[in-house]
Amino acid sequence: MRAVLTAGPTLEPIDPVRFLSNRSSGKQGYALAEALAALGFDVTLVSGPTALNDPPGVATVRVETAREMLAAVERALPADVFIAVAAVADWRPAEPSAIKLKLDKSGHGALKLTENPDILQTIAALGPEARPRLVIGFAAETHDVLDHARAKRVRKGCDWIIANDVSGAAMGGADNAVTLMTPEGEESLAQAPKAEIARAIAERIAAALGA
Ligand code: C5P
């Protein structure tokens, strides 16, 4: 069985010395990649910039931007399961400058943004030949976590969504608590180290695929 995952933040250049990014550490995605490899999956992890070592037994591809991440995922397919764990920047500077920008005194109009591709939505919308059998997204939310996550599962066209509350220390922290949402129902996994959450999710993926 083949699994492809994204993890970590993306980094979107503004100019040679500045970028837009976010606080994702990559820990949950790396732990899930490792847990799937431990169950015998052939795993490719497409990772944004993180401080973590490549997980053992996992083919890790390092990228920076959302567009590079999508291209690397497309190269890594076909797969039986795709899991989008990365915190992808929704927007990027429209025209990254080749030279260091100097803001005028007002600071206005310096940064024009343009929308990044949605990797999860793109993979979920692939035709039956190319689409992984199971497409899974994460929904990191700070409020109305379950409602936002339910809506996101439908909007993104993925099969499962894993909701996690990032109003506390989950983002960058060692622990996580998640709710697994599938067409069959919802299951909460109580707060635990990210490696333990990863093992539980990996087991459910293996069971769903008959692996
Ligand atoms: O950022 P958002 O809450 O929409 O992310 C939900 C899910 O969509 C996550 O699984 C994330 O990895 C994925 N995503 C993506 N490409 C984007 C934005 C989000 O794959 N541009």
Side-chain angles (χ1 to χ4, degrees):
M1 290 276 174
R2 254 189 74 64
V4 175
L5 296 89
T6 65
T10 65
L11 181 157
E12 311 291 341
I14 296 171
D15 68 18
V17 298
R18 305 184 180 94
F19 56 81
L20 295 180
S21 194
N22 60 66
R23 294 186 189 278
S24 170
S25 67
K27 284 177 192 163
Q28 188 63 80
Y30 279 52
L32 188 51
E34 193 171 342
L36 286 163
L39 290 182
F41 279 78
D42 169 8
V43 183
T44 299
L45 173 65
V46 180
S47 174
T50 70
L52 304 174
N53 294 325
D54 293 0
V58 170
T60 304
V61 181
R62 302 267 177 177
V63 297
E64 289 199 336
T65 68
R67 288 184 297 172
E68 289 166 4
M69 188 173 269
L70 174 58
V73 166
E74 287 172 336
R75 274 195 300 275
L77 294 180
D80 300 283
V81 56
F82 171 66
I83 313 153
V85 198
V88 181
D90 294 319
W91 299 88
R92 68 174 185 274
E95 289 158 15
S97 171
I99 55 167
K100 187 179 168 191
L101 291 172
K102 302 286 178 208
L103 293 189
D104 64 18
K105 282 230 165 56
S106 71
H108 288 314
L111 202 57
K112 283 205 189 74
L113 299 178
T114 188
E115 209 165 353
N116 263 334
D118 191 308
I119 300 167
L120 176 59
Q121 210 161 33
T122 304
I123 301 306
L126 289 174
E129 296 281 287
R131 187 188 191 277
R133 269 198 284 154
L134 196 53
V135 175
I136 304 176
F138 271 70
E141 306 286 351
T142 55
H143 60 283
D144 300 327
V145 178
L146 298 183
D147 280 348
H148 282 309
R150 281 180 203 116
K152 204 164 277 187
R153 193 172 78 78
V154 176
R155 195 169 66 244
K156 301 265 183 174
C158 55
D159 305 303
W160 297 2
I161 202 129
I162 297 169
N164 68 324
D165 186 336
V166 290
S167 60
M171 206 131 179
D175 284 8
N176 207 357
V178 303
T179 302
L180 188 63
M181 300 180 163
T182 76
E184 286 76 44
E186 297 180 6
E187 181 189 5
S188 292
L189 303 176
Q191 185 170 334
K194 286 180 176 174
E196 216 169 289
I197 298 284
R199 273 195 296 276
I201 296 170
E203 280 166 11
R204 282 154 185 78
I205 292 170
L209 293 174

